[in-house]
Amino acid sequence: MPYVNIRITPGATQAQKEELIAGTTELLAKVLNKNPASTFVVIDEVEREHWGVGGQSLAARDKA
């Protein structure tokens, strides 16, 4: 029973999220022979203020 957590910043459309879910499920079935019916894919949207890289939040980098 695979569980995949995808974290992205806001902005993806519902259609893009559906494609991520379907594609991730398909990849696990193809590569690891996992049952799609028991594969869980969760997408978390993390605000840019809460996501940091290089010592700064993405929001702060956007402003620079």
Side-chain angles (χ1 to χ4, degrees):
M1 164 168 97
Y3 170 86
V4 178
N5 184 225
I6 299 172
R7 292 185 178 158
I8 59 174
T9 56
T13 66
Q14 186 60 37
Q16 289 170 322
K17 292 174 192 176
E18 294 292 340
E19 190 171 342
L20 282 172
I21 292 167
T24 301
T25 302
E26 181 181 324
L27 182 64
L28 286 168
K30 178 181 174 185
V31 175
L32 298 177
N33 199 32
K34 296 298 181 179
N35 181 356
S38 63
T39 298
F40 295 84
V41 179
V42 176
I43 298 174
D44 289 327
E45 289 186 311
V46 180
E47 295 297 328
R48 297 183 71 76
E49 294 83 10
H50 300 199
W51 193 308
V53 62
Q56 283 186 308
S57 72
L58 293 179
R61 293 182 79 179
D62 291 344
K63 291 178 184 177

